Amino acid sequence: MTKGFLIAATNSGVGKTTSSMGLMAALKKRGQIVQGFKTGPDYIDPAYHTVISGRPSYNLDTYMMGTDGVVDQYMRASEGSDISIVEGVMGLFDGMDSTEISGAAHVAKTLDVPVFLVINTHGMSRSVAAMLKGFAEFDPDVHIAGVILNKIGSPRHLDLIKGALDGKIPIVGALPRNPDITVPERYMGLHLPEEDNLDFTQLANFVEENMDIDLMLQIAADYEKERPVPPEIKSPETDVKIAVAREPAFCFLYPAMVDALKQAGAEVIFFSPTEGELPEADGYYFPSGYPEFHIQKLSESAATKKLKDLAADGIPMLGEGAGLSYLCESYTTADGTFKMAGILPAESEITKKLQGLGYAEAKPLSSEFGTKNIRAHEFHYSITNPAKDSKFAYEMLRGKGIADKKDGLHEYNVLAGYMQMHPGSFPIADFVEKCRMNKRK
């Protein structure tokens, strides 16, 4: 049996991330083994969960993974934990387009877990009751088991709200305004954990003082259900080595992708191209991230200068987002134009305008890149201008891609695009097999 709950909100920016992180920190301080999850495709919130809990935090996305994939991931990752905490995304009922798909409510229903709803009470009193009633009754299959009142202005403010509520849904938290525990943001989301000096002990104490954690745990225990245990995945013997870039320039990496590489028989090693590291490997994977913040050092890196020769020798490489820009001929930022790996016949440029955001679906243009459509996510401020004779792997059925509704530039055994992949639909085992076949040549 797996005990857990989902922290949702009426809309973005009302405190669900602070509440989720604070609960994880408070429970970890109590000695609990906490497993974190994030609804949707976000990378940064799970990075905080991981730092706080000491366990990789996994994404639960019904669009990219399907409902069965979400349940399977939840059960596997929760094994050995005392409590699982799922952080929602946007507003509770916000999903892809006008549907519930990929939204927090869809995940809550898929997992059959209770929901604690965060409401920003600033500037409201009795209206909080109307808002809570509307959310509670909108979808009877979503069980809102408690409410967390955020940004309480004073004891009198709290009393006014309590007087307006009917008591059917308990108040499990009343958080006073506290500017000291917010996490700074920038154009692609929150700062990374290693960039910020957020005091998790302070956050844990704040939540411990202002939330009824015992009641939340009791509600989770009362709602606990028997769920089928996923079949054991037996890891094969590793016979291929894949190096994965993991550093601030390439920091957007799903832990599920690492798991999938290992399950396909790969030994995974991590390295920092910015620091000039380039371990000997049978394949290389460059996730997305922030290369523009490290652009000169990355351009001058010994690793960057060696990659094209490795590609010409047939070593497979995979790039996503920032990985695409890095594998191109150049990358232009506010500081100038910098030479990159030079493998793909294209030039990238960071802009001040959001160029692509949202879910994507792509059809492989050749069986070499799979036989089923791929569901992924795009989020980038850069543009990439390919040469006229560039080769693409995918036709975009949804989303923007690189150019002309195409994505997945490929050259040699190198493939890179703007789609950020999840193993729920991307055939990462095919990439491992390509590395394996090239090794045996």
Side-chain angles (χ1 to χ4, degrees):
M1 294 178 73
T2 303
K3 182 168 63 179
F5 52 79
L6 187 146
I7 302 294
T10 55
N11 55 285
S12 294
V14 304
K16 66 178 173 291
T17 297
T18 300
S19 298
S20 300
M21 288 165 48
L23 279 164
M24 291 178 190
L27 288 164
K28 181 73 183 297
K29 189 178 176 183
R30 288 186 176 193
Q32 297 276 295
I33 300 173
V34 182
Q35 177 58 53
F37 295 95
K38 174 66 180 180
T39 304
D42 180 63
Y43 293 96
I44 299 178
D45 290 341
Y48 279 94
H49 301 171
T50 298
V51 170
I52 293 168
S53 69
R55 293 166 66 98
S57 176
Y58 287 84
N59 296 75
L60 301 175
D61 190 299
T62 56
Y63 176 73
M64 294 194 295
M65 304 166 65
T67 54
D68 289 344
V70 164
V71 173
D72 185 87
Q73 183 69 86
Y74 180 78
M75 293 298 294
R76 290 187 191 281
S78 294
E79 187 175 358
S81 66
D82 296 313
I83 184 71
S84 294
I85 299 177
V86 183
E87 179 183 344
V89 60
M90 299 176 65
L92 172 59
F93 295 108
D94 297 321
M96 187 177 72
D97 299 332
S98 297
T99 73
E100 67 174 7
I101 295 171
S102 84
H106 197 202
V107 169
K109 291 196 294 185
T110 298
L111 298 176
D112 198 12
V113 294
V115 173
F116 297 117
L117 183 69
V118 181
I119 298 178
N120 179 358
T121 67
H122 179 69
M124 289 194 297
S125 57
R126 190 165 179 257
S127 294
V128 172
M131 186 175 286
L132 180 58
K133 179 179 175 65
F135 272 79
E137 296 179 0
F138 184 77
D139 186 341
D141 292 328
V142 177
H143 180 58
I144 297 180
V147 61
I148 299 169
L149 305 173
N150 193 24
K151 296 191 177 180
I152 295 293
S154 66
R156 173 166 168 73
H157 185 204
L158 179 58
D159 287 341
L160 289 172
I161 295 172
K162 285 181 176 179
L165 297 176
D166 59 15
K168 293 179 181 178
I169 298 176
I171 298 172
V172 297
L175 310 179
R177 298 173 195 167
N178 188 339
D180 295 333
I181 59 172
T182 57
V183 182
E185 296 189 52
R186 60 168 160 244
Y187 66 93
M188 287 185 75
L190 301 177
H191 283 199
L192 297 170
E194 58 266 30
E195 298 176 291
D196 190 60
N197 295 319
L198 188 64
D199 188 340
F200 295 122
T201 301
Q202 180 188 15
L203 186 57
N205 292 339
F206 177 72
V207 165
E208 190 77 59
E209 292 167 4
N210 297 289
M211 283 194 195
D212 192 339
I213 298 177
D214 292 331
L215 176 57
M216 298 175 79
L217 292 175
Q218 185 58 56
I219 290 171
D222 292 343
Y223 210 78
E224 195 171 5
K225 301 286 195 307
E226 286 282 358
R227 296 179 176 87
V229 177
E232 180 183 359
I233 297 178
K234 294 183 179 180
S235 298
E237 289 188 17
T238 57
D239 61 349
V240 64
K241 184 182 294 185
I242 295 178
V244 178
R246 188 169 69 173
E247 51 152 297
F250 304 100
C251 55
F252 295 157
L253 174 65
Y254 292 126
M257 202 65 134
V258 177
D259 292 349
L261 288 169
K262 293 177 179 178
Q263 289 161 9
E267 175 191 353
V268 176
I269 54 176
F270 298 105
F271 72 108
S272 170
T274 302
E275 296 301 324
E277 299 172 1
L278 190 65
E280 185 176 337
D282 304 304
Y284 296 87
Y285 174 28
F286 300 93
S288 196
Y290 295 112
E292 58 270 22
F293 296 154
H294 314 273
I295 192 66
Q296 183 161 346
K297 193 172 181 182
L298 193 59
S299 178
E300 296 172 351
S301 163
T304 304
K305 296 174 182 178
K306 294 176 183 176
L307 280 173
K308 187 171 184 178
D309 287 342
L310 293 178
D313 287 340
I315 302 294
M317 299 179 193
L318 178 65
E320 300 170 354
L324 164 66
S325 298
Y326 179 56
L327 295 172
C328 287
E329 294 172 353
S330 65
Y331 194 31
T332 300
T333 73
D335 297 318
T337 298
F338 297 84
K339 189 175 181 180
M340 293 286 98
I343 299 170
L344 300 173
E347 298 174 340
S348 266
E349 177 184 354
I350 192 74
T351 73
K352 295 181 179 180
K353 180 182 176 182
L354 183 62
Q355 299 293 335
L357 173 62
Y359 285 109
E361 183 174 4
K363 175 184 176 182
L365 292 171
S366 161
S367 59
E368 178 186 354
F369 305 106
T371 56
K372 296 180 180 179
N373 288 1
I374 291 166
R375 290 184 168 186
H377 189 261
E378 292 179 282
F379 186 18
H380 56 97
Y381 279 74
S382 70
I383 55 175
T384 296
N385 299 307
K388 290 183 179 180
D389 58 349
S390 293
K391 296 171 289 185
F392 291 95
Y394 308 108
E395 175 188 353
M396 303 299 295
L397 305 179
R398 176 189 177 95
K400 189 173 182 179
I402 295 172
D404 301 323
K405 301 294 283 187
K406 299 288 194 301
D407 200 41
L409 270 174
H410 64 96
E411 192 78 17
Y412 306 112
N413 279 328
V414 177
L415 172 67
Y418 275 123
M419 288 191 294
Q420 295 174 342
M421 310 293 196
H422 189 283
S425 86
F426 178 69
I428 189 64
D430 290 356
F431 174 68
V432 177
E433 182 60 25
K434 182 173 285 189
C435 296
R436 185 177 289 118
M437 291 174 61
N438 185 73
K439 176 184 179 182
R440 291 173 179 169
K441 286 182 179 178

